[in-house]
Amino acid sequence: FLQIQFGSVYRGLTPLSDEEVLRLYKNRIMPIAYVEGNMRDGRTNSAMIQLADLFSVPEIGLLCNVTDYFEKNHVDYHPEILFRDVRASLIDAHLVMHKIVPENVEHYLEPNKNLRLFLERLRNANKKLFVVTNSPYKFVNKGMDFLIGSDWKTFFDVIIVQARKPRFFTDKSRPIRIYDERSGSHIWDRVTKLEKGVIYFEGTVKQLQELTEWRGHQVLYFGDHPYSDLADVTLEHGWRTGAIIPELTHEIR
């Protein structure tokens, strides 16, 4: 995990030689503190950024292409500043995406006729289902309505939007709030129980477990990011996890 794989290190779109990699990093083995850092207030101070899910693909592509442009045109730049600017631009792009995608949802999502059947089977087997997503409610609602149907909320016992993962799994105190669908705002009331059909906002995994009494191995949680979604709930809370990795379809053939 901490070993640099020679032949896989690039500056922009240009592969670096093994000698150049060793000159930069001094060693083929990376110190764990350099890669992971130390967690403080739910945030890491690591010197490296891990880009490990599908959401990272545009970010990696933009970083590589801008770096390549700077290198080929002899533009002086600071790599960390470049990364921070690219990250900020993608955060801004999310706001645009949340507006554009719901307007033409069929252009971005592929219908799956088996998805509703799968959820019905789980519900008929008396399984408790929940959604914890970082996306805003209107964005989620449009997509789920397209994929499952207008009654999609009836399949889930708990729905939490704008959860701010991974901080949802690490923060100790950030109260769950109720999202008012009609006004598009958040209610000030204290949440003492989680009700089916109600949309919740933010909160922490600690509150989710306390209010549902779902514990440890009882929970099977699916996510597509090994660090933001899967690592903390496994290590800290004992949840069983399933990783959604579309690339494996190609790899195992």
Side-chain angles (χ1 to χ4, degrees):
F1 174 69
L2 299 173
Q3 182 170 294
I4 298 174
Q5 182 178 347
F6 287 145
S8 67
V9 182
Y10 283 69
R11 179 182 289 119
L13 301 176
T14 303
L16 298 185
S17 67
D18 298 348
E19 293 74 20
E20 177 70 358
V21 171
L22 290 174
R23 186 186 70 79
L24 290 169
Y25 294 100
K26 314 303 180 188
N27 198 328
R28 192 175 181 181
I29 305 298
M30 305 291 291
I32 191 169
Y34 189 81
V35 177
E36 296 186 351
N38 298 310
M39 293 296 292
R40 292 182 179 177
D41 300 324
R43 298 182 180 183
T44 180
N45 60 355
S46 65
M48 299 191 76
I49 301 296
Q50 300 181 28
L51 303 173
D53 65 358
L54 287 177
F55 290 99
S56 301
V57 174
E59 186 170 7
I60 295 169
L62 188 55
L63 275 170
C64 289
N65 281 277
V66 174
T67 300
D68 194 65
Y69 176 85
F70 285 169
E71 290 286 331
K72 289 180 177 178
N73 291 277
H74 308 290
V75 178
D76 189 28
Y77 69 98
H78 191 299
E80 185 175 347
I81 293 175
L82 173 59
F83 166 77
R84 291 181 181 277
D85 283 353
V86 167
R87 173 61 60 88
S89 70
L90 288 172
I91 291 174
D92 291 341
H94 267 80
L95 300 176
V96 179
M97 181 188 72
H98 289 156
K99 180 178 184 298
I100 292 176
V101 172
E103 293 175 351
N104 300 279
V105 67
E106 65 280 358
H107 293 167
Y108 301 97
L109 296 180
E110 296 181 4
N112 185 335
K113 63 181 181 181
N114 294 320
L115 181 57
R116 185 181 178 93
L117 176 61
F118 175 65
L119 294 174
E120 287 174 347
R121 287 177 175 175
L122 291 174
R123 185 173 62 182
N124 293 338
N126 296 319
K127 302 298 182 183
K128 301 293 184 181
L129 305 179
F130 68 99
V131 173
V132 177
T133 175
N134 285 350
S135 297
Y137 171 71
K138 291 182 180 179
F139 186 75
V140 174
N141 184 52
K142 203 73 173 181
M144 296 293 258
D145 181 73
F146 175 78
L147 292 171
I148 301 172
S150 58
D151 62 341
W152 70 270
K153 285 177 286 188
T154 64
F155 287 97
F156 299 96
D157 297 271
V158 177
I159 301 170
I160 300 176
V161 299
Q162 290 179 262
R164 297 189 183 181
K165 295 178 292 182
R167 295 185 63 182
F168 179 83
F169 299 122
T170 56
D171 281 0
K172 302 302 180 185
S173 178
R174 185 157 50 91
I176 290 179
R177 301 175 64 181
I178 295 175
Y179 177 83
D180 187 344
E181 298 179 54
R182 290 176 297 179
S183 65
S185 60
H186 314 110
I187 297 175
W188 294 92
D189 297 6
R190 182 189 299 271
V191 175
T192 57
K193 60 180 178 179
L194 299 179
E195 300 181 70
K196 192 169 185 175
V198 177
I199 306 300
Y200 297 96
F201 171 86
E202 293 191 345
T204 66
V205 70
K206 180 175 181 290
Q207 293 170 283
L208 175 64
Q209 292 186 126
E210 288 175 349
L211 293 172
T212 60
E213 297 185 352
W214 299 340
R215 301 287 179 182
H217 70 280
Q218 295 176 315
V219 182
L220 175 59
Y221 178 72
F222 288 89
D224 64 355
H225 195 295
Y227 306 108
S228 296
D229 278 328
L230 306 177
D232 288 321
V233 290
T234 298
L235 297 173
E236 301 294 333
H237 304 287
W239 286 13
R240 292 182 295 166
T241 54
I244 302 171
I245 308 176
E247 294 84 353
L248 282 181
T249 303
H250 168 74
E251 294 289 340
I252 63 179
R253 283 179 179 173

